Amino acid sequence: MSSASVSFYIPDHIHFVKPSPWTIPFAAGGISGMCAALVGQPFDTIKVRMQTGFKIAGRAPGGAVDCLKMTVKHEGANALFKGLWPQLGSQFLATALLFGIQDRFLTSFARTTRRSRGDLDLISAAGFCAGGVLAVITCPMELIKVGIQSAGNEVATASSRGAARGAPGSVAASSYELAAGLARKVGLRGLYTGVGLTSLRCAVGNAAFFGCFEVCTRADRGVVGGADGGAGGHRSTAKNAFFGAIAGTAYWLVCYPIDLVKSQRQSKVVRQGEAAAKAPAPGAGRVQTPLRVVARAKGSAALAKGLVGMYRGLGVTLVR
């Protein structure tokens, strides 16, 4: 029994365009970022609500598990995916561009300083710069995401009293309505509230991420110190995932207090509108309460309370 073969004729005038070196990594990075956002969105929603002092039925949750139960009970499981669309856009751009931009910075630093691309400080410095640049692109999307995620019964009550739909202090039906409402009330400038904190968080976090990942890969190759630019053989997918998890933990450990203040600041702008956007400083008012407790700590008990507050919601973030 012979098998039939099928052939296709392609005319000579048809030419296939070879993709640029950026095309495949950009698409792969963007798709992986969107998948990570989709899987991790429920955890991110709980994190933001823990950070912003979210209350439902007049009560603040006692922890991440309690916040999860309250959210599902009063708003339904779909509430865990609030802010998904801006998160998908943010993660697509951030993940698609991050590694390419970091590589460009690393190449530039190595050429300028005439040092090896494998120097650990150059790798971390390139990650720092790449993270800071990307935050300028992703900040508006993060603002919308935080605003939608931190909208609970308190905001719903304001809406029932006649607040304009999509305006700060009301419940927006979509990410677009919230963005349009903020743009009308506080201008496009308001959509970049917290951009400095976002840049600082991404810069510090990515410096730790790339540096920690490089240390893990060197340890796996048996390189104790110094520059090492070699591939060291093929690593399994499991090892890459494990090293990435360690690097991701390092990312959040060093920058989580910055993210907490950023989320509080952005949530406050969404709730209060123009008055909050015109606050004299990003840390004004209640948005830096945990940090202020640490700075003004009187005794070990106050200091411990402030330090715990700075990392409120960290556990669910690391799980994500």
Side-chain angles (χ1 to χ4, degrees), residues 250-271:
Y251 177 105
W252 285 111
L253 285 176
V254 300
C255 73
Y256 193 83
I258 303 172
D259 184 70
L260 180 140
V261 177
K262 187 269 304 181
S263 295
Q264 291 182 347
R265 171 68 175 151
Q266 291 180 329
S267 176
K268 185 179 179 182
V269 166
V270 174
R271 292 197 310 268

Side-chain angles (χ1 to χ4, degrees), residues 139-175:
C139 181
M141 289 178 279
E142 286 204 30
L143 173 67
I144 302 304
K145 174 187 74 72
V146 169
I148 293 178
Q149 288 174 324
S150 59
N153 277 7
E154 180 181 355
V155 179
T157 301
S159 179
S160 65
R161 290 196 297 263
R165 200 167 174 81
S170 68
V171 176
S174 66
S175 302

Side-chain angles (χ1 to χ4, degrees), residues 69-305:
K69 292 179 179 179
M70 291 171 62
T71 299
V72 174
K73 178 180 178 181
H74 293 276
E75 301 179 74
N78 288 341
L80 297 174
F81 289 90
K82 283 186 173 182
L84 176 61
W85 291 112
Q87 178 76 331
L88 289 175
S90 173
Q91 289 301 306
F92 178 89
L93 290 175
T95 313
L97 295 174
L98 176 63
F99 292 93
I101 294 178
Q102 190 268 351
D103 184 73
R104 293 297 179 93
F105 273 115
L106 181 57
T107 300
S108 177
F109 291 163
R111 184 183 299 115
T112 302
T113 60
R114 297 182 180 180
R115 293 165 58 188
S116 169
R117 284 171 49 92
D119 284 354
L120 189 60
D121 58 338
L122 292 186
I123 293 173
S124 293
F128 183 95
C129 294
V133 169
L134 281 178
V136 178
I137 303 174
T138 61
C139 181
M141 289 178 279
E142 286 204 30
L143 173 67
I144 302 304
K145 174 187 74 72
V146 169
I148 293 178
Q149 288 174 324
S150 59
N153 277 7
E154 180 181 355
V155 179
T157 301
S159 179
S160 65
R161 290 196 297 263
R165 200 167 174 81
S170 68
V171 176
S174 66
S175 302
Y176 172 78
E177 285 190 4
L178 181 56
L182 280 172
R184 286 194 302 270
K185 292 293 182 180
V186 300
L188 294 177
R189 171 183 61 86
L191 296 178
Y192 276 90
T193 299
V195 65
L197 291 168
T198 306
S199 295
L200 182 60
R201 181 206 66 188
C202 293
V204 173
N206 279 296
F209 178 88
F210 283 100
C212 184
F213 190 86
E214 180 65 18
V215 168
C216 290
T217 57
R218 289 186 186 185
D220 182 55
R221 295 194 297 266
V223 179
V224 178
D228 178 52
H234 176 72
R235 288 192 305 272
S236 66
T237 302
K239 279 187 177 181
N240 279 329
F242 180 65
F243 295 159
I246 295 176
T249 300
Y251 177 105
W252 285 111
L253 285 176
V254 300
C255 73
Y256 193 83
I258 303 172
D259 184 70
L260 180 140
V261 177
K262 187 269 304 181
S263 295
Q264 291 182 347
R265 171 68 175 151
Q266 291 180 329
S267 176
K268 185 179 179 182
V269 166
V270 174
R271 292 197 310 268
Q272 299 181 6
E274 190 171 6
K278 292 182 177 179
R286 295 174 295 171
V287 298
Q288 283 191 343
T289 298
L291 298 180
R292 293 174 66 193
V293 170
V294 172
R296 302 176 181 180
K298 296 180 180 180
S300 57
L303 178 62
K305 181 180 179 180

Side-chain angles (χ1 to χ4, degrees), residues 15-21 23:
H15 302 281
F16 293 96
V17 179
K18 183 179 179 180
S20 67
T23 303

Side-chain angles (χ1 to χ4, degrees), residues 8-60:
F8 296 93
Y9 170 72
I10 300 177
D12 294 336
H13 65 276
I14 296 180
H15 302 281
F16 293 96
V17 179
K18 183 179 179 180
S20 67
W22 271 66
T23 303
I24 296 178
F26 179 87
I31 294 172
S32 66
M34 292 177 69
C35 291
L38 184 63
V39 173
Q41 185 65 12
F43 300 97
D44 188 73
T45 299
I46 299 302
K47 180 207 76 167
V48 169
R49 292 187 166 191
M50 293 292 294
Q51 289 178 327
T52 57
F54 166 81
K55 292 183 179 180
I56 190 167
R59 184 175 72 86

